[in-house]
């Protein structure tokens, strides 16, 4: 079995800082890259798909939640290294509207936490800044 080819160009992705009753949803990655780190739900944008459509799809696939997108909270660039690819991640502030989290196999835990209560959780780079920017839009 051969390893999948790495893309030769940056890939566009989306993530959502989803707020509910003043708390933000964090999901823990179940596999590499980022295994064991908490982050926001999200993923790659498919060709021809708008950013909002991609975020709704990714949040549904990964958590089953329904959300209302409030606005762009920021962006982050992840450069190649340590087995990861090159990504430009557009992060949005969102509000939970329906359903309870049901994780797919990409994640093995979730937490609703107050933004100031992340403590010593292992989180992905830039996460705290994105959450703080998103919080201002909620």
């Amino acid at each position: 079995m051969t390893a999948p080819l790495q893309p030769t160009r940056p890939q566009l992705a989306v993530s959502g800082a989803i707020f509910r009753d003043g708390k933000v949803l964090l999901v823990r990655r179940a596999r590499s890259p980022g295994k064991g780190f908490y982050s926001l739900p999200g993923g790659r944008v498919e060709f021809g798909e708008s950013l909002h459509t991609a975020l709704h799809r990714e949040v549904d696939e990964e958590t089953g939640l329904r959300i209302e997108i409030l606005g762009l909270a920021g962006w982050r660039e992840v450069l190649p290294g340590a087995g990861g690819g090159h990504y430009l991640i557009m992060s949005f502030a969102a509000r939970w509207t329906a359903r309870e989290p049901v994780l797919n196999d990409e994640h093995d835990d979730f937490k609703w936490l107050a933004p100031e209560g992340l403590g010593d959780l292992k989180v992905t780079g830039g996460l705290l800044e994105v959450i703080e920017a998103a919080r201002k839009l909620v």
Side-chain angles (χ1 to χ4, degrees), residues 43-126:
R44 287 187 206 124
V45 177
E46 296 176 0
F47 182 79
E49 188 175 45
S50 74
L51 297 177
H52 282 199
T53 298
L55 184 57
H56 282 288
R57 176 184 52 76
E58 284 289 342
V59 167
D60 180 47
E61 288 174 4
E62 294 183 4
T63 69
L65 297 181
R66 296 293 180 255
I67 61 169
E68 173 191 3
I69 298 171
L70 303 173
L72 184 64
W75 61 275
R76 189 169 152 256
E77 187 174 26
V78 178
L79 297 173
H86 186 174
Y87 294 93
L88 176 60
I89 305 169
M90 307 300 289
S91 297
F92 291 87
R95 183 179 298 122
W96 170 88
T97 60
R99 297 188 178 171
E100 295 302 320
V102 177
L103 301 179
N104 69 5
D105 63 353
E106 293 178 45
H107 305 288
D108 59 12
D109 188 32
F110 73 88
K111 297 179 182 301
W112 290 102
L113 296 171
E116 63 279 357
L118 304 187
D120 58 356
L121 273 185
K122 283 177 29 179
V123 298
T124 54

Side-chain angles (χ1 to χ4, degrees), residues 24-48:
V24 66
L25 176 69
L26 297 182
V27 291
R28 186 173 63 197
R29 295 182 180 175
R31 54 185 183 233
S32 293
K35 181 177 180 175
F37 282 79
Y38 282 88
S39 192
L40 303 173
R44 287 187 206 124
V45 177
E46 296 176 0
F47 182 79

